[in-house]
Amino acid sequence: MNVRDWTTKDIGKLKAEDQRAWRKAQFEELEALKKRNVYELADLPPGCKAIKNHWVFDLKSDGHKKAHLVAKGFSQIEGLDFDEIFSPVIQFESVRTILALAALEKWKIEGLDVKSAFLYGMLDEELYMEQPQGFKVPGNEHKVLCLKKAIYGLKQAARAWWHELDQSLKALGFSCLYADAGIFVAKHADGTMVIILVYVDDIILTGPNTTLVASKKKLFMDNGNAVT
Amino acid sequence: MRIEYQGGKTYLDQVPYLEKILKCFGMADAKAAQTPLPTGYKPEPFDGTAMVALRSQYQSVIGSLLYLMLGTHPDLAFTVTQMAKFAHNPLEEHLLKTRHILRYLASTRKYALVYDGRSDAGLYTYCDSSYGDDRSDADRRHQSTQGYYFSLVNASVKWHSKTQTLISTSSTMAEYIALSDCACDCAWYKILFSELGKPMPYVPIYGDSHGAIFNAQNPVTQKGIKHIEICYHYIQEQIEKGEVKVFAVPTTENVADMFTKNLGPTLFLKHRKQLGIEFYPL
């Protein structure tokens, strides 16, 4: 069976040593979520229902064990737990066209990707999630997690990230095109421009002025988003 | 998708994904195939009901092939869209033919889409259709197939292959509809480039049907074309406004031919070169 299909139960059947290693991976994930202020412990308000969650296990190509805590988006109720969920994705032909244009104009291309991008998404709704399986806070087992940021698996996670990215690019002088909402352009008075292609968390920058492209990249990375 | 630069050229490929699916479908060491489908092969629909296991296996192969085709494989545009039509009810034979596509992919795995920065070729498009040769419809209606691709710096940036939804009464009509659809994408390109501050005077379209080109350039009402729906006259308006220009090329030179029919190796390999697919020793 593929590691990605494992459940917490399957982990429980492994050798003690392996179980410990996976548990360590789960702790690392929870630490990362805590560091990003994704949620805080809270009482479930009466009448609210907490969203369920699920552990996803993954073996990276270098053998590193990774555990992801994801929300069970299908247990969310429309109109209550989420509203709009559409988020634009760049078209393949736009990516190829800009790359071809860059080749034609001899522009340099810079790339970056955003680590755990969806955790940057701020939530509009007040959402509660159950405490993760096997990691309930002792003495507070009845409490739930009040979500501050969009965790992976939520219906609106992609849209929330998109909104966050759109805002931070706007602050840097970029605006998206009508032809494709995944292409952002910042035009400067001297006629030069910087083009940004966004494919969810993969970002490509290009433009006629190499220094300007590099400085925009740095600005974007410094802009509170710990991107690599 | 992987992007590499070397000597002023940009290489685009999906080799890591390709290797993964070849391994997954047990075709990593497959025998080479020159073309995606055997020459002359025309898939026929299945009248019965496919087995559930076969169907789900077929759908997963088609899904992977579609992703490759949309990403970096214009050479598969016709083949994969044709085979994908049977995804709801495939025959054992259809599954076998996807093995042939995987064999073709295995033998071209060292190829990439190459945008040659040393060429200064601008945007142009080739458009073609093939009249009434589609057999995939369950009711065996003979629709036409249309296809076009856009090229910038001598490599394809956009490709399209599709069975037309309505029945054409002539090859001219099929081609006229194809030109009209192509003009819609030309308009998108014009918007994109003007938004980027690089407006184009017009987009050249190359087609091989003199009848369709004549009808597009001259607002005549002839017997052969008078019944055509209004939306397909978009091409006329675009030419009139000077947004696009249509030029005739000989059929053998029309690269878009490979987006409308299953070509033999000679023509297929000749046209593939024009798409910007090049051997790229990694």
Side-chain angles (χ1 to χ4, degrees), chain A residues 8-185:
Chain A
T8 314
K9 244 187 202 161
D10 295 310
I11 296 288
K13 290 177 201 151
L14 296 174
K15 278 188 299 195
E17 188 191 334
D18 287 335
Q19 279 194 40
R20 266 199 300 280
W22 282 110
R23 207 168 159 78
K24 188 169 154 270
Q26 286 175 304
F27 265 118
E28 279 167 11
E29 165 81 352
L30 292 176
E31 277 307 310
L33 293 177
K34 244 178 243 162
K35 236 168 90 187
R36 301 277 282 267
N37 284 322
V38 173
Y39 49 67
E40 58 189 34
L41 212 56
D43 287 308
L44 186 67
C48 283
K49 219 176 150 194
I51 299 159
K52 293 181 172 52
N53 58 52
H54 176 71
W55 282 104
V56 177
F57 302 95
D58 200 5
L59 259 179
K60 294 283 169 187
S61 46
D62 60 357
H64 182 73
K65 290 185 174 64
K66 185 95 182 90
H68 298 278
L69 182 66
V70 300
K72 288 184 174 175
F74 56 82
S75 65
Q76 286 181 263
I77 301 160
E78 187 172 354
L80 204 63
D81 297 334
F82 67 94
D83 193 13
E84 295 287 335
I85 56 169
F86 175 78
S87 93
V89 168
I90 195 166
Q91 303 178 69
F92 272 158
E93 59 234 52
S94 303
V95 178
R96 288 186 300 253
T97 305
I98 301 292
L99 289 177
L101 181 68
L104 179 71
E105 306 273 358
K106 320 240 176 333
W107 296 342
K108 235 188 123 201
I109 296 171
E110 299 259 3
L112 57 94
D113 70 342
V114 184
K115 285 262 150 62
S116 42
F118 284 6
L119 299 184
Y120 289 105
M122 301 297 286
L123 289 173
D124 294 334
E125 297 85 359
E126 195 174 306
L127 289 186
Y128 297 92
M129 188 175 80
E130 290 177 356
Q131 289 190 55
Q133 266 178 60
F135 293 86
K136 289 194 175 161
V137 180
N140 276 326
E141 285 88 351
H142 63 285
K143 291 211 174 189
V144 291
L145 305 172
C146 176
L147 295 178
K148 303 278 164 213
K149 306 270 180 65
I151 193 168
Y152 280 77
L154 284 183
K155 294 255 188 207
Q156 64 269 59
R159 188 183 175 88
W161 155 243
W162 173 260
H163 189 72
E164 198 60 31
L165 183 79
D166 189 46
Q167 293 297 315
S168 61
L169 285 177
K170 268 192 186 128
L172 293 176
F174 287 89
S175 53
C176 71
L177 298 188
Y178 286 105
D180 194 319
I183 308 176
F184 288 81
V185 176

Side-chain angles (χ1 to χ4, degrees), chain A residues 181-192:
Chain A
I183 308 176
F184 288 81
V185 176
K187 285 193 178 122
H188 291 263
D190 60 348
T192 57

Side-chain angles (χ1 to χ4, degrees), chain B residues 210-225:
Chain B
H210 289 274
I213 295 173
F214 179 82
N215 280 307
Q217 287 170 338
N218 305 285
V220 287
T221 317
Q222 285 184 346
K223 193 175 175 299
I225 203 106

